Amino acid sequence: MIYSQIRAFHAVASHGSFTRAAAALSVSQPTLSSQVKALEAKYEVDLFIPAGRGIEITPLGRRLHAITQKQFRLEAEAELLLSETRNLNAGFLRIGADSPYHALPLVARYKEQYPGIEISMNFGNSRDTLADLMARRIDVAIIPPPPTDDPRLISQLLIADRLVAFVPKTHKWAKRKSVNLKQLTGTRVILREEGSTTRAVFEAAVAAAGMTLKDVFEIGSREAVRAAVVEGLGIGVVSEAELIRGDNIHVLPISGADLRVPEHLVCLAECAPQRTIKAVFDLLEG
């Protein structure tokens, strides 16, 4: 079935006249008549019959018109959706991040500027978040910088963070102004699970210094790391931006090591032109 033929039928059935239908579609009446006749001939049916000086739709034509009404209503809805998405008045954006602390300020700015865009968010470690992006389960990721030689990805710096250590106020280090890697490797350190950026950066710095961690207490969330530190179970190491400060902990900068943790906004290169995704990157430049 040719689209122009079904569109011609729908117009005639809706307007009850070839003349009015041709005017509505901005085509000549002979062109419209030939399209309807071609549709009737292809299926060997009558959709309209003469009635005095006009036409009358047949029972089959009425049944077909009920279907085409649904078809063209859905087509109009689809066009409206795409038009609103193009103008960022509607649409969907799926964001994955390794930390709410880095992601939520950007999301708040996005929602303020584009309130019609629906946003969903997933949080996990950086390894899982990158896997979600590659599998197209999310549209953009907020994670440490991915491999720079991967042509499938586009990334832009969001924030430059660093790792810090922290102890409870009752700890013997609570009066110190900083701590170094050697001191940390000689005590129990509380870290996130394998795959987290915090752990990867910290372990890489320890290895680069020719040291080894003697006692690691692994916990699967930032909140649990903090709770364990408060209970005196070890020394916490987290991203400074993610640390929930309070009167019961003391923060210790880590000296003598490069413990920077840059967070990047990342998307698939082939998806970068999509307006909802491009708008996120544009916020970083504004």
Side-chain angles (χ1 to χ4, degrees), residues 56 94 132 151 211 218 222 226 233:
E56 181 179 321
R94 301 166 301 169
D132 284 343
M211 304 175 189
E218 179 181 301
R222 299 171 185 86
R226 189 185 191 284
L233 296 176

Side-chain angles (χ1 to χ4, degrees), residues 17-30:
S17 160
F18 278 91
T19 302
R20 289 193 294 270
L25 295 181
S26 299
V27 299
S28 67
Q29 185 172 330

Side-chain angles (χ1 to χ4, degrees), residues 133 146 150-156 265-270 272-273 281:
L133 180 68
D150 192 332
R152 297 172 298 174
L153 300 173
I154 289 178
S155 68
Q156 188 170 338
L265 183 65
V266 186
C267 74
L268 293 173
E270 61 187 290
F281 283 84

Side-chain angles (χ1 to χ4, degrees), residues 30-31 49 53 112 117 133 172 192 228 276:
T31 296
I49 56 175
R53 299 180 61 180
E112 181 179 7
I117 303 297
L133 180 68
K172 62 182 180 180
R192 290 281 307 280
T276 51

Side-chain angles (χ1 to χ4, degrees), residues 42-197:
K42 180 176 181 179
Y43 294 98
E44 299 180 352
V45 296
D46 288 324
L47 299 173
F48 302 101
I49 56 175
R53 299 180 61 180
I55 57 168
E56 181 179 321
I57 191 168
T58 65
L60 177 61
R62 283 194 294 271
R63 291 175 61 189
L64 180 59
H65 187 222
I67 295 172
T68 60
Q69 284 179 312
K70 296 177 184 178
Q71 174 186 342
F72 286 98
R73 183 178 68 250
L74 291 174
E75 182 180 295
E77 290 177 7
E79 184 176 353
L80 177 61
L81 173 63
L82 293 174
S83 177
E84 289 184 336
T85 300
R86 180 182 61 193
N87 297 322
L88 293 175
N89 295 321
F92 304 89
L93 183 68
R94 301 166 301 169
I95 300 175
D98 64 347
S99 166
Y101 306 101
H102 299 130
L104 292 178
L106 181 64
V107 171
R109 288 172 58 198
Y110 192 94
K111 284 295 291 182
E112 181 179 7
Q113 190 155 342
Y114 308 109
I117 303 297
E118 295 183 31
I119 295 179
S120 65
M121 296 197 69
N122 294 323
F123 297 104
N125 64 45
S126 54
R127 179 182 59 194
D128 294 341
T129 301
L130 180 58
D132 284 343
L133 180 68
M134 302 305 296
R136 293 177 178 268
R137 289 188 287 269
I138 56 176
D139 301 308
V140 295
I142 297 174
I143 53 176
T148 56
D149 59 348
D150 192 332
R152 297 172 298 174
L153 300 173
I154 289 178
S155 68
Q156 188 170 338
L157 179 66
L158 174 63
I159 187 174
D161 204 354
R162 64 171 182 164
L163 299 187
V164 294
F166 67 105
V167 297
K169 280 291 180 69
T170 55
H171 195 274
K172 62 182 180 180
W173 290 356
K175 301 296 184 181
R176 289 177 179 242
K177 293 184 177 181
S178 66
V179 66
N180 59 44
L181 285 182
K182 185 176 181 180
Q183 291 165 330
L184 287 172
T185 57
T187 188
R188 177 182 294 164
V189 178
I190 303 176
L191 294 172
R192 290 281 307 280
E193 76 284 359
E194 294 283 351
S196 79
T197 302

